[in-house]
Amino acid sequence: MSAATLREISLTLPMLPDMEIAASKTVTALAEYMEMSPDRIDEVRMAVLEACINAFEHSRSEEGKVLLTFSVLGTAAEPEKLRIRIEDSGVGFDPSEVVEPNIQDKLKAKSKRGWGLKIIRSLMDEVDIHSNSSGTTVIMTKYRADRGE
Amino acid sequence: MAEMLKVTTENRDGLAVVYTEGYINNQGGEEIARIAYQLIEAGHKSVLLNLAGTKIVNSIGISILIEIIEKMLEIEGRLAFCSLTPTIEKTFHIMGLAQYASIYPDEATAAQALVS
């Protein structure tokens, strides 16, 4: 049976300090509904915080808003995964040009920042980034349970 | 929107322990750094950050913790962490902080290692 959308929530956040907390609370509620483990919920929450902060800090969106869509996918008997879509209408970027940060370089560098994408990719099961001069969409997925469990 | 991070310190048999309560974001990281630099100025070479009261952090806040690690390396001191949530500990490993700052499960274990 193919996965259906069991629940979907959309949220539009203004790009203001600490608004990422609202996204984190929403995703926590949905993940709890799916009976995801507390550690996996924490990982999704952290990834959502980072994705929002990336949009707030780097998108240079004139609109000043981020649209988030949280979807629970699976069957009625078993929610399988949580998909989160984060869209901004900023200037876009080329993900292939983002240099992966490492601690040795950061310790010597004036700016210690630039970890968001690395954290997102490490904590989520799937991450897709689509970006052009009209904006960026990050689609990230976390399965309810570790697929090795 | 988020409550300000609360930061307190205690001297435990010569070990400076910094306790946090709340979200470590940009402002929270700056507050920890302010306190840590005060402790360094006061002569402490080992500082333990007990994050039992922190359930969420962001990478901007952690970047400021990297600045504290850099300062500690300059003075040949030690910054250590204890009582992290599994996700915060995993994130510290992802970012490589664990290569330069020890992570302990709890304060008693950390104190035993840092004071001896």
mmCIF file of all heavy atoms in Angstrom, chain A residues 51-92:
data_model
loop_
_atom_site.group_PDB
_atom_site.id
_atom_site.type_symbol
_atom_site.label_atom_id
_atom_site.label_comp_id
_atom_site.label_asym_id
_atom_site.label_seq_id
_atom_site.Cartn_x
_atom_site.Cartn_y
_atom_site.Cartn_z
ATOM 1 N N ALA A 51 16.948 24.668 9.980
ATOM 2 C CA ALA A 51 16.433 25.030 8.653
ATOM 3 C C ALA A 51 15.773 26.413 8.700
ATOM 4 O O ALA A 51 15.936 27.225 7.778
ATOM 5 C CB ALA A 51 15.443 23.966 8.168
ATOM 6 N N CYS A 52 15.028 26.684 9.765
ATOM 7 C CA CYS A 52 14.395 28.008 9.902
ATOM 8 C C CYS A 52 15.464 29.095 10.030
ATOM 9 O O CYS A 52 15.386 30.141 9.380
ATOM 10 C CB CYS A 52 13.487 28.048 11.132
ATOM 11 S SG CYS A 52 11.987 27.085 10.961
ATOM 12 N N ILE A 53 16.459 28.838 10.874
ATOM 13 C CA ILE A 53 17.501 29.847 11.093
ATOM 14 C C ILE A 53 18.255 30.119 9.786
ATOM 15 O O ILE A 53 18.561 31.262 9.461
ATOM 16 C CB ILE A 53 18.454 29.399 12.230
ATOM 17 C CG1 ILE A 53 17.710 29.463 13.566
ATOM 18 C CG2 ILE A 53 19.703 30.270 12.277
ATOM 19 C CD1 ILE A 53 18.435 28.783 14.710
ATOM 20 N N ASN A 54 18.529 29.057 9.017
ATOM 21 C CA ASN A 54 19.188 29.254 7.717
ATOM 22 C C ASN A 54 18.368 30.189 6.832
ATOM 23 O O ASN A 54 18.908 31.096 6.193
ATOM 24 C CB ASN A 54 19.361 27.907 6.995
ATOM 25 C CG ASN A 54 20.677 27.245 7.337
ATOM 26 O OD1 ASN A 54 21.518 27.814 8.023
ATOM 27 N ND2 ASN A 54 20.868 26.035 6.853
ATOM 28 N N ALA A 55 17.055 29.940 6.795
ATOM 29 C CA ALA A 55 16.187 30.798 5.963
ATOM 30 C C ALA A 55 16.186 32.229 6.495
ATOM 31 O O ALA A 55 16.299 33.189 5.724
ATOM 32 C CB ALA A 55 14.772 30.233 5.935
ATOM 33 N N PHE A 56 16.073 32.373 7.823
ATOM 34 C CA PHE A 56 16.036 33.719 8.419
ATOM 35 C C PHE A 56 17.337 34.484 8.109
ATOM 36 O O PHE A 56 17.310 35.660 7.798
ATOM 37 C CB PHE A 56 15.909 33.645 9.951
ATOM 38 C CG PHE A 56 14.628 33.052 10.476
ATOM 39 C CD1 PHE A 56 14.470 32.830 11.832
ATOM 40 C CD2 PHE A 56 13.579 32.715 9.642
ATOM 41 C CE1 PHE A 56 13.301 32.290 12.345
ATOM 42 C CE2 PHE A 56 12.402 32.168 10.143
ATOM 43 C CZ PHE A 56 12.264 31.952 11.505
ATOM 44 N N GLU A 57 18.456 33.761 8.236
ATOM 45 C CA GLU A 57 19.766 34.432 8.183
ATOM 46 C C GLU A 57 20.278 34.653 6.763
ATOM 47 O O GLU A 57 20.998 35.597 6.513
ATOM 48 C CB GLU A 57 20.797 33.572 8.927
ATOM 49 C CG GLU A 57 20.510 33.433 10.396
ATOM 50 C CD GLU A 57 21.461 34.246 11.231
ATOM 51 O OE1 GLU A 57 22.669 34.158 10.967
ATOM 52 O OE2 GLU A 57 20.991 34.957 12.129
ATOM 53 N N HIS A 58 19.956 33.718 5.869
ATOM 54 C CA HIS A 58 20.634 33.742 4.566
ATOM 55 C C HIS A 58 19.740 33.996 3.353
ATOM 56 O O HIS A 58 20.261 34.238 2.267
ATOM 57 C CB HIS A 58 21.378 32.411 4.349
ATOM 58 C CG HIS A 58 22.348 32.086 5.447
ATOM 59 N ND1 HIS A 58 23.429 32.892 5.743
ATOM 60 C CD2 HIS A 58 22.395 31.059 6.332
ATOM 61 C CE1 HIS A 58 24.091 32.366 6.764
ATOM 62 N NE2 HIS A 58 23.488 31.260 7.145
ATOM 63 N N SER A 59 18.409 33.870 3.518
ATOM 64 C CA SER A 59 17.583 33.912 2.301
ATOM 65 C C SER A 59 17.535 35.299 1.659
ATOM 66 O O SER A 59 17.345 35.417 0.464
ATOM 67 C CB SER A 59 16.155 33.456 2.618
ATOM 68 O OG SER A 59 15.501 34.430 3.390
ATOM 69 N N ARG A 60 17.670 36.342 2.467
ATOM 70 C CA ARG A 60 17.508 37.728 2.010
ATOM 71 C C ARG A 60 16.154 37.903 1.311
ATOM 72 O O ARG A 60 16.039 38.532 0.261
ATOM 73 C CB ARG A 60 18.673 38.149 1.100
ATOM 74 C CG ARG A 60 19.963 38.356 1.888
ATOM 75 C CD ARG A 60 21.078 38.882 1.027
ATOM 76 N NE ARG A 60 21.771 37.813 0.335
ATOM 77 C CZ ARG A 60 22.387 37.936 -0.824
ATOM 78 N NH1 ARG A 60 22.379 39.086 -1.454
ATOM 79 N NH2 ARG A 60 23.007 36.906 -1.369
ATOM 80 N N SER A 61 15.156 37.273 1.885
ATOM 81 C CA SER A 61 13.804 37.348 1.334
ATOM 82 C C SER A 61 13.198 38.727 1.606
ATOM 83 O O SER A 61 13.193 39.190 2.746
ATOM 84 C CB SER A 61 12.943 36.266 1.995
ATOM 85 O OG SER A 61 11.585 36.558 1.841
ATOM 86 N N GLU A 62 12.685 39.362 0.564
ATOM 87 C CA GLU A 62 12.035 40.669 0.758
ATOM 88 C C GLU A 62 10.716 40.494 1.489
ATOM 89 O O GLU A 62 10.260 41.361 2.220
ATOM 90 C CB GLU A 62 11.801 41.346 -0.594
ATOM 91 C CG GLU A 62 13.090 41.905 -1.182
ATOM 92 C CD GLU A 62 12.859 42.669 -2.467
ATOM 93 O OE1 GLU A 62 11.696 42.926 -2.822
ATOM 94 O OE2 GLU A 62 13.866 42.997 -3.116
ATOM 95 N N GLU A 63 10.086 39.332 1.262
ATOM 96 C CA GLU A 63 8.801 39.031 1.878
ATOM 97 C C GLU A 63 8.958 38.848 3.393
ATOM 98 O O GLU A 63 8.020 39.117 4.156
ATOM 99 C CB GLU A 63 8.270 37.735 1.252
ATOM 100 C CG GLU A 63 6.791 37.588 1.265
ATOM 101 C CD GLU A 63 6.375 36.295 0.587
ATOM 102 O OE1 GLU A 63 6.856 35.208 0.974
ATOM 103 O OE2 GLU A 63 5.552 36.378 -0.328
ATOM 104 N N GLY A 64 10.121 38.370 3.800
ATOM 105 C CA GLY A 64 10.390 38.208 5.232
ATOM 106 C C GLY A 64 9.587 37.118 5.908
ATOM 107 O O GLY A 64 9.268 37.215 7.100
ATOM 108 N N LYS A 65 9.230 36.076 5.144
ATOM 109 C CA LYS A 65 8.426 34.990 5.720
ATOM 110 C C LYS A 65 8.992 33.640 5.298
ATOM 111 O O LYS A 65 9.587 33.523 4.222
ATOM 112 C CB LYS A 65 6.980 35.054 5.203
ATOM 113 C CG LYS A 65 6.184 36.221 5.686
ATOM 114 C CD LYS A 65 4.809 36.177 5.033
ATOM 115 C CE LYS A 65 4.013 37.420 5.376
ATOM 116 N NZ LYS A 65 2.801 37.528 4.548
ATOM 117 N N VAL A 66 8.744 32.635 6.129
ATOM 118 C CA VAL A 66 9.084 31.256 5.783
ATOM 119 C C VAL A 66 7.803 30.431 5.876
ATOM 120 O O VAL A 66 7.051 30.555 6.847
ATOM 121 C CB VAL A 66 10.124 30.670 6.770
ATOM 122 C CG1 VAL A 66 10.452 29.229 6.415
ATOM 123 C CG2 VAL A 66 11.393 31.490 6.765
ATOM 124 N N LEU A 67 7.554 29.625 4.852
ATOM 125 C CA LEU A 67 6.378 28.754 4.860
ATOM 126 C C LEU A 67 6.838 27.338 5.185
ATOM 127 O O LEU A 67 7.712 26.784 4.510
ATOM 128 C CB LEU A 67 5.684 28.782 3.494
ATOM 129 C CG LEU A 67 4.536 27.787 3.303
ATOM 130 C CD1 LEU A 67 3.387 28.084 4.278
ATOM 131 C CD2 LEU A 67 4.000 27.838 1.872
ATOM 132 N N LEU A 68 6.240 26.768 6.223
ATOM 133 C CA LEU A 68 6.576 25.395 6.599
ATOM 134 C C LEU A 68 5.358 24.499 6.414
ATOM 135 O O LEU A 68 4.240 24.895 6.772
ATOM 136 C CB LEU A 68 7.005 25.318 8.063
ATOM 137 C CG LEU A 68 8.289 26.076 8.392
ATOM 138 C CD1 LEU A 68 7.987 27.331 9.166
ATOM 139 C CD2 LEU A 68 9.250 25.201 9.169
ATOM 140 N N THR A 69 5.561 23.334 5.859
ATOM 141 C CA THR A 69 4.492 22.349 5.741
ATOM 142 C C THR A 69 4.977 21.051 6.366
ATOM 143 O O THR A 69 6.016 20.516 5.968
ATOM 144 C CB THR A 69 4.115 22.104 4.266
ATOM 145 O OG1 THR A 69 3.875 23.363 3.648
ATOM 146 C CG2 THR A 69 2.869 21.243 4.147
ATOM 147 N N PHE A 70 4.237 20.591 7.359
ATOM 148 C CA PHE A 70 4.591 19.356 8.064
ATOM 149 C C PHE A 70 3.584 18.286 7.648
ATOM 150 O O PHE A 70 2.377 18.479 7.814
ATOM 151 C CB PHE A 70 4.493 19.550 9.574
ATOM 152 C CG PHE A 70 5.301 20.706 10.106
ATOM 153 C CD1 PHE A 70 4.720 21.962 10.252
ATOM 154 C CD2 PHE A 70 6.619 20.547 10.473
ATOM 155 C CE1 PHE A 70 5.455 23.028 10.751
ATOM 156 C CE2 PHE A 70 7.361 21.605 10.972
ATOM 157 C CZ PHE A 70 6.779 22.860 11.108
ATOM 158 N N SER A 71 4.059 17.176 7.124
ATOM 159 C CA SER A 71 3.141 16.112 6.665
ATOM 160 C C SER A 71 3.513 14.794 7.324
ATOM 161 O O SER A 71 4.681 14.388 7.300
ATOM 162 C CB SER A 71 3.242 15.936 5.144
ATOM 163 O OG SER A 71 3.083 17.174 4.487
ATOM 164 N N VAL A 72 2.490 14.146 7.879
ATOM 165 C CA VAL A 72 2.682 12.779 8.385
ATOM 166 C C VAL A 72 2.244 11.845 7.268
ATOM 167 O O VAL A 72 1.108 11.917 6.793
ATOM 168 C CB VAL A 72 1.839 12.521 9.647
ATOM 169 C CG1 VAL A 72 2.019 11.075 10.115
ATOM 170 C CG2 VAL A 72 2.213 13.493 10.746
ATOM 171 N N LEU A 73 3.145 10.985 6.834
ATOM 172 C CA LEU A 73 2.857 10.074 5.724
ATOM 173 C C LEU A 73 2.872 8.636 6.233
ATOM 174 O O LEU A 73 3.628 8.292 7.143
ATOM 175 C CB LEU A 73 3.908 10.232 4.621
ATOM 176 C CG LEU A 73 4.101 11.641 4.063
ATOM 177 C CD1 LEU A 73 5.276 11.686 3.087
ATOM 178 C CD2 LEU A 73 2.848 12.136 3.373
ATOM 179 N N GLY A 74 2.025 7.824 5.622
ATOM 180 C CA GLY A 74 1.990 6.411 5.996
ATOM 181 C C GLY A 74 0.605 5.850 5.761
ATOM 182 O O GLY A 74 -0.160 6.377 4.947
ATOM 183 N N THR A 75 0.307 4.799 6.487
ATOM 184 C CA THR A 75 -1.027 4.216 6.403
ATOM 185 C C THR A 75 -1.740 4.510 7.714
ATOM 186 O O THR A 75 -1.095 4.833 8.717
ATOM 187 C CB THR A 75 -0.951 2.693 6.214
ATOM 188 O OG1 THR A 75 -0.316 2.135 7.373
ATOM 189 C CG2 THR A 75 -0.164 2.326 4.969
ATOM 190 N N ALA A 76 -3.064 4.384 7.697
ATOM 191 C CA ALA A 76 -3.834 4.672 8.913
ATOM 192 C C ALA A 76 -3.358 3.802 10.065
ATOM 193 O O ALA A 76 -3.305 4.245 11.219
ATOM 194 C CB ALA A 76 -5.312 4.441 8.647
ATOM 195 N N ALA A 77 -2.949 2.587 9.757
ATOM 196 C CA ALA A 77 -2.500 1.669 10.815
ATOM 197 C C ALA A 77 -1.117 2.048 11.331
ATOM 198 O O ALA A 77 -0.801 1.790 12.491
ATOM 199 C CB ALA A 77 -2.476 0.244 10.281
ATOM 200 N N GLU A 78 -0.333 2.665 10.462
ATOM 201 C CA GLU A 78 1.044 2.946 10.871
ATOM 202 C C GLU A 78 1.614 4.198 10.192
ATOM 203 O O GLU A 78 2.032 4.133 9.025
ATOM 204 C CB GLU A 78 1.932 1.734 10.556
ATOM 205 C CG GLU A 78 3.303 1.880 11.178
ATOM 206 C CD GLU A 78 4.162 0.641 10.981
ATOM 207 O OE1 GLU A 78 3.750 -0.279 10.268
ATOM 208 O OE2 GLU A 78 5.261 0.628 11.567
ATOM 209 N N PRO A 79 1.650 5.320 10.921
ATOM 210 C CA PRO A 79 2.329 6.485 10.363
ATOM 211 C C PRO A 79 3.800 6.137 10.138
ATOM 212 O O PRO A 79 4.461 5.610 11.036
ATOM 213 C CB PRO A 79 2.191 7.543 11.466
ATOM 214 C CG PRO A 79 1.162 7.030 12.399
ATOM 215 C CD PRO A 79 1.161 5.552 12.277
ATOM 216 N N GLU A 80 4.291 6.378 8.939
ATOM 217 C CA GLU A 80 5.622 5.886 8.600
ATOM 218 C C GLU A 80 6.716 6.955 8.731
ATOM 219 O O GLU A 80 7.807 6.691 9.226
ATOM 220 C CB GLU A 80 5.577 5.374 7.156
ATOM 221 C CG GLU A 80 6.867 4.739 6.694
ATOM 222 C CD GLU A 80 6.904 4.562 5.168
ATOM 223 O OE1 GLU A 80 5.954 4.980 4.481
ATOM 224 O OE2 GLU A 80 7.903 4.038 4.686
ATOM 225 N N LYS A 81 6.386 8.160 8.259
ATOM 226 C CA LYS A 81 7.434 9.180 8.254
ATOM 227 C C LYS A 81 6.852 10.588 8.354
ATOM 228 O O LYS A 81 5.676 10.817 8.041
ATOM 229 C CB LYS A 81 8.296 9.048 6.998
ATOM 230 C CG LYS A 81 7.546 9.133 5.695
ATOM 231 C CD LYS A 81 8.456 8.738 4.529
ATOM 232 C CE LYS A 81 7.671 8.647 3.235
ATOM 233 N NZ LYS A 81 8.492 8.127 2.136
ATOM 234 N N LEU A 82 7.717 11.501 8.765
ATOM 235 C CA LEU A 82 7.351 12.907 8.900
ATOM 236 C C LEU A 82 8.156 13.689 7.868
ATOM 237 O O LEU A 82 9.387 13.605 7.853
ATOM 238 C CB LEU A 82 7.700 13.357 10.325
ATOM 239 C CG LEU A 82 7.415 14.790 10.735
ATOM 240 C CD1 LEU A 82 5.963 15.175 10.492
ATOM 241 C CD2 LEU A 82 7.741 14.962 12.223
ATOM 242 N N ARG A 83 7.440 14.395 7.006
ATOM 243 C CA ARG A 83 8.130 15.180 5.974
ATOM 244 C C ARG A 83 7.922 16.660 6.265
ATOM 245 O O ARG A 83 6.793 17.092 6.527
ATOM 246 C CB ARG A 83 7.587 14.815 4.589
ATOM 247 C CG ARG A 83 8.265 15.584 3.470
ATOM 248 C CD ARG A 83 8.010 14.956 2.125
ATOM 249 N NE ARG A 83 8.691 13.673 2.029
ATOM 250 C CZ ARG A 83 8.361 12.706 1.162
ATOM 251 N NH1 ARG A 83 7.373 12.870 0.339
ATOM 252 N NH2 ARG A 83 9.034 11.571 1.140
ATOM 253 N N ILE A 84 8.990 17.414 6.224
ATOM 254 C CA ILE A 84 8.913 18.846 6.524
ATOM 255 C C ILE A 84 9.461 19.620 5.331
ATOM 256 O O ILE A 84 10.560 19.343 4.851
ATOM 257 C CB ILE A 84 9.741 19.176 7.786
ATOM 258 C CG1 ILE A 84 9.244 18.340 8.970
ATOM 259 C CG2 ILE A 84 9.651 20.657 8.130
ATOM 260 C CD1 ILE A 84 10.328 17.731 9.776
ATOM 261 N N ARG A 85 8.642 20.559 4.876
ATOM 262 C CA ARG A 85 9.023 21.383 3.724
ATOM 263 C C ARG A 85 9.172 22.814 4.216
ATOM 264 O O ARG A 85 8.260 23.345 4.861
ATOM 265 C CB ARG A 85 7.888 21.263 2.701
ATOM 266 C CG ARG A 85 8.079 21.924 1.393
ATOM 267 C CD ARG A 85 6.779 21.742 0.571
ATOM 268 N NE ARG A 85 6.861 22.501 -0.636
ATOM 269 C CZ ARG A 85 7.223 22.006 -1.820
ATOM 270 N NH1 ARG A 85 7.473 20.716 -1.943
ATOM 271 N NH2 ARG A 85 7.308 22.773 -2.887
ATOM 272 N N ILE A 86 10.320 23.409 3.954
ATOM 273 C CA ILE A 86 10.586 24.778 4.416
ATOM 274 C C ILE A 86 10.898 25.629 3.186
ATOM 275 O O ILE A 86 11.872 25.357 2.481
ATOM 276 C CB ILE A 86 11.767 24.803 5.410
ATOM 277 C CG1 ILE A 86 11.414 23.975 6.647
ATOM 278 C CG2 ILE A 86 12.123 26.230 5.842
ATOM 279 C CD1 ILE A 86 12.381 22.910 6.939
ATOM 280 N N GLU A 87 10.062 26.619 2.943
ATOM 281 C CA GLU A 87 10.201 27.416 1.712
ATOM 282 C C GLU A 87 10.412 28.887 2.038
ATOM 283 O O GLU A 87 9.723 29.446 2.885
ATOM 284 C CB GLU A 87 8.919 27.328 0.884
ATOM 285 C CG GLU A 87 8.558 25.949 0.403
ATOM 286 C CD GLU A 87 7.188 25.956 -0.291
ATOM 287 O OE1 GLU A 87 7.094 26.468 -1.421
ATOM 288 O OE2 GLU A 87 6.214 25.479 0.327
ATOM 289 N N ASP A 88 11.369 29.485 1.343
ATOM 290 C CA ASP A 88 11.491 30.940 1.435
ATOM 291 C C ASP A 88 11.515 31.507 0.019
ATOM 292 O O ASP A 88 11.738 30.770 -0.947
ATOM 293 C CB ASP A 88 12.752 31.352 2.218
ATOM 294 C CG ASP A 88 14.053 30.999 1.505
ATOM 295 O OD1 ASP A 88 14.288 31.513 0.394
ATOM 296 O OD2 ASP A 88 14.844 30.201 2.046
ATOM 297 N N SER A 89 11.265 32.784 -0.098
ATOM 298 C CA SER A 89 11.280 33.413 -1.420
ATOM 299 C C SER A 89 12.482 34.341 -1.535
ATOM 300 O O SER A 89 12.373 35.459 -2.035
ATOM 301 C CB SER A 89 9.971 34.172 -1.664
ATOM 302 O OG SER A 89 9.775 35.100 -0.619
ATOM 303 N N GLY A 90 13.584 33.861 -1.051
ATOM 304 C CA GLY A 90 14.808 34.668 -1.068
ATOM 305 C C GLY A 90 15.591 34.535 -2.361
ATOM 306 O O GLY A 90 15.060 34.109 -3.393
ATOM 307 N N VAL A 91 16.873 34.853 -2.269
ATOM 308 C CA VAL A 91 17.705 34.951 -3.479
ATOM 309 C C VAL A 91 18.294 33.607 -3.921
ATOM 310 O O VAL A 91 18.875 33.504 -4.998
ATOM 311 C CB VAL A 91 18.864 35.955 -3.271
ATOM 312 C CG1 VAL A 91 18.304 37.348 -2.997
ATOM 313 C CG2 VAL A 91 19.780 35.518 -2.128
ATOM 314 N N GLY A 92 18.135 32.569 -3.086
ATOM 315 C CA GLY A 92 18.628 31.245 -3.449
ATOM 316 C C GLY A 92 20.129 31.092 -3.271
ATOM 317 O O GLY A 92 20.846 32.057 -2.989
#
